[in-house]
PDB file of all heavy atoms in Angstrom:
ATOM      1  N   ALA A   5      -3.741  65.341   8.718  1.00 48.00           N
ATOM      2  CA  ALA A   5      -2.696  64.232   8.335  1.00 48.00           C
ATOM      3  C   ALA A   5      -2.369  63.688   9.618  1.00 48.00           C
ATOM      4  O   ALA A   5      -2.178  62.422   9.725  1.00 48.00           O
ATOM      5  CB  ALA A   5      -1.636  64.728   7.470  1.00 48.00           C
ATOM      6  N   ALA A  13      -1.393  53.563  11.124  1.00 43.00           N
ATOM      7  CA  ALA A  13      -0.396  52.804  11.835  1.00 43.00           C
ATOM      8  C   ALA A  13      -1.213  51.437  12.350  1.00 43.00           C
ATOM      9  O   ALA A  13      -0.749  50.417  12.225  1.00 43.00           O
ATOM     10  CB  ALA A  13       0.249  53.458  12.957  1.00 43.00           C
ATOM     11  N   GLN A  27     -12.045  28.242  12.554  1.00 77.00           N
ATOM     12  CA  GLN A  27     -12.892  27.507  13.509  1.00 77.00           C
ATOM     13  C   GLN A  27     -13.657  26.400  12.836  1.00 77.00           C
ATOM     14  O   GLN A  27     -14.247  26.616  11.758  1.00 77.00           O
ATOM     15  CB  GLN A  27     -13.959  28.594  14.056  1.00 77.00           C
ATOM     16  CG  GLN A  27     -13.327  29.644  15.018  1.00 77.00           C
ATOM     17  CD  GLN A  27     -12.562  28.961  16.115  1.00 77.00           C
ATOM     18  OE1 GLN A  27     -13.203  28.165  16.846  1.00 77.00           O
ATOM     19  NE2 GLN A  27     -11.337  29.398  16.372  1.00 77.00           N
ATOM     20  N   VAL A  44       7.873  22.165  18.580  1.00 97.00           N
ATOM     21  CA  VAL A  44       6.734  22.981  18.934  1.00 97.00           C
ATOM     22  C   VAL A  44       7.147  24.371  18.409  1.00 97.00           C
ATOM     23  O   VAL A  44       8.245  24.808  18.649  1.00 97.00           O
ATOM     24  CB  VAL A  44       6.582  22.990  20.443  1.00 97.00           C
ATOM     25  CG1 VAL A  44       5.309  23.946  20.803  1.00 97.00           C
ATOM     26  CG2 VAL A  44       6.274  21.697  21.021  1.00 97.00           C
ATOM     27  N   ALA A  48       3.683  29.959  15.337  1.00 96.00           N
ATOM     28  CA  ALA A  48       2.843  29.539  14.238  1.00 96.00           C
ATOM     29  C   ALA A  48       1.668  28.664  14.637  1.00 96.00           C
ATOM     30  O   ALA A  48       1.012  28.111  13.702  1.00 96.00           O
ATOM     31  CB  ALA A  48       3.807  28.752  13.299  1.00 96.00           C
ATOM     32  N   LEU A  53       4.136  16.297  15.128  1.00 98.00           N
ATOM     33  CA  LEU A  53       3.924  15.132  15.868  1.00 98.00           C
ATOM     34  C   LEU A  53       4.351  13.892  14.997  1.00 98.00           C
ATOM     35  O   LEU A  53       4.059  13.856  13.857  1.00 98.00           O
ATOM     36  CB  LEU A  53       2.474  14.863  16.307  1.00 98.00           C
ATOM     37  CG  LEU A  53       1.917  15.955  17.174  1.00 98.00           C
ATOM     38  CD1 LEU A  53       0.366  15.531  17.542  1.00 98.00           C
ATOM     39  CD2 LEU A  53       2.560  15.891  18.452  1.00 98.00           C
ATOM     40  N   ALA A  64       0.015   6.231  10.128  1.00 98.00           N
ATOM     41  CA  ALA A  64       0.981   6.801  11.093  1.00 98.00           C
ATOM     42  C   ALA A  64       2.016   7.627  10.266  1.00 98.00           C
ATOM     43  O   ALA A  64       2.494   7.168   9.159  1.00 98.00           O
ATOM     44  CB  ALA A  64       1.637   5.754  11.946  1.00 98.00           C
ATOM     45  N   THR A  73      -4.573  28.491  19.641  1.00 94.00           N
ATOM     46  CA  THR A  73      -3.793  29.610  20.280  1.00 94.00           C
ATOM     47  C   THR A  73      -2.351  29.139  20.582  1.00 94.00           C
ATOM     48  O   THR A  73      -2.137  27.964  20.902  1.00 94.00           O
ATOM     49  CB  THR A  73      -4.494  30.055  21.553  1.00 94.00           C
ATOM     50  OG1 THR A  73      -4.439  29.085  22.518  1.00 94.00           O
ATOM     51  CG2 THR A  73      -5.935  30.597  21.324  1.00 94.00           C
ATOM     52  N   LEU A  77       0.338  25.437  23.337  1.00 96.00           N
ATOM     53  CA  LEU A  77       1.532  24.636  22.998  1.00 96.00           C
ATOM     54  C   LEU A  77       2.553  24.782  24.000  1.00 96.00           C
ATOM     55  O   LEU A  77       3.565  24.064  24.113  1.00 96.00           O
ATOM     56  CB  LEU A  77       2.113  24.935  21.663  1.00 96.00           C
ATOM     57  CG  LEU A  77       1.126  24.618  20.495  1.00 96.00           C
ATOM     58  CD1 LEU A  77       1.749  25.061  19.186  1.00 96.00           C
ATOM     59  CD2 LEU A  77       0.885  23.092  20.399  1.00 96.00           C
ATOM     60  N   MET A  78       2.465  25.814  25.011  1.00 94.00           N
ATOM     61  CA  MET A  78       3.512  26.093  25.904  1.00 94.00           C
ATOM     62  C   MET A  78       3.995  24.979  26.782  1.00 94.00           C
ATOM     63  O   MET A  78       5.163  24.807  27.056  1.00 94.00           O
ATOM     64  CB  MET A  78       3.053  27.333  26.767  1.00 94.00           C
ATOM     65  CG  MET A  78       2.863  28.626  25.974  1.00 94.00           C
ATOM     66  SD  MET A  78       4.123  28.969  24.776  1.00 94.00           S
ATOM     67  CE  MET A  78       5.233  29.748  25.848  1.00 94.00           C
ATOM     68  N   VAL A  87      -2.003  13.288  23.646  1.00 97.00           N
ATOM     69  CA  VAL A  87      -3.327  12.760  23.152  1.00 97.00           C
ATOM     70  C   VAL A  87      -4.145  14.034  22.973  1.00 97.00           C
ATOM     71  O   VAL A  87      -4.072  15.002  23.693  1.00 97.00           O
ATOM     72  CB  VAL A  87      -3.816  11.662  24.015  1.00 97.00           C
ATOM     73  CG1 VAL A  87      -4.194  12.195  25.356  1.00 97.00           C
ATOM     74  CG2 VAL A  87      -5.014  11.056  23.274  1.00 97.00           C
ATOM     75  N   GLY A  88      -5.011  14.023  21.980  1.00 97.00           N
ATOM     76  CA  GLY A  88      -5.943  15.153  21.802  1.00 97.00           C
ATOM     77  C   GLY A  88      -6.987  14.787  20.691  1.00 97.00           C
ATOM     78  O   GLY A  88      -7.077  13.631  20.298  1.00 97.00           O
ATOM     79  N   GLU A 106       2.259  11.127  28.585  1.00 88.00           N
ATOM     80  CA  GLU A 106       3.561  10.668  29.254  1.00 88.00           C
ATOM     81  C   GLU A 106       4.612  11.662  28.896  1.00 88.00           C
ATOM     82  O   GLU A 106       4.908  12.050  27.783  1.00 88.00           O
ATOM     83  CB  GLU A 106       3.942   9.301  28.578  1.00 88.00           C
ATOM     84  CG  GLU A 106       5.130   8.697  29.206  1.00 88.00           C
ATOM     85  CD  GLU A 106       5.439   7.442  28.548  1.00 88.00           C
ATOM     86  OE1 GLU A 106       4.521   6.605  28.106  1.00 88.00           O
ATOM     87  OE2 GLU A 106       6.640   7.056  28.414  1.00 88.00           O
ATOM     88  N   PRO A 110      13.928  12.056  30.628  1.00 78.00           N
ATOM     89  CA  PRO A 110      15.186  12.742  30.625  1.00 78.00           C
ATOM     90  C   PRO A 110      16.286  11.884  30.028  1.00 78.00           C
ATOM     91  O   PRO A 110      16.225  10.680  30.152  1.00 78.00           O
ATOM     92  CB  PRO A 110      15.506  12.978  32.167  1.00 78.00           C
ATOM     93  CG  PRO A 110      14.436  12.348  32.813  1.00 78.00           C
ATOM     94  CD  PRO A 110      13.405  11.794  31.926  1.00 78.00           C
TER      95      PRO A 110
END
Side-chain angles (χ1 to χ4, degrees):
Q27 292 303 309
V44 180
L53 297 178
T73 66
L77 297 177
M78 298 313 278
V87 63
E106 182 181 326

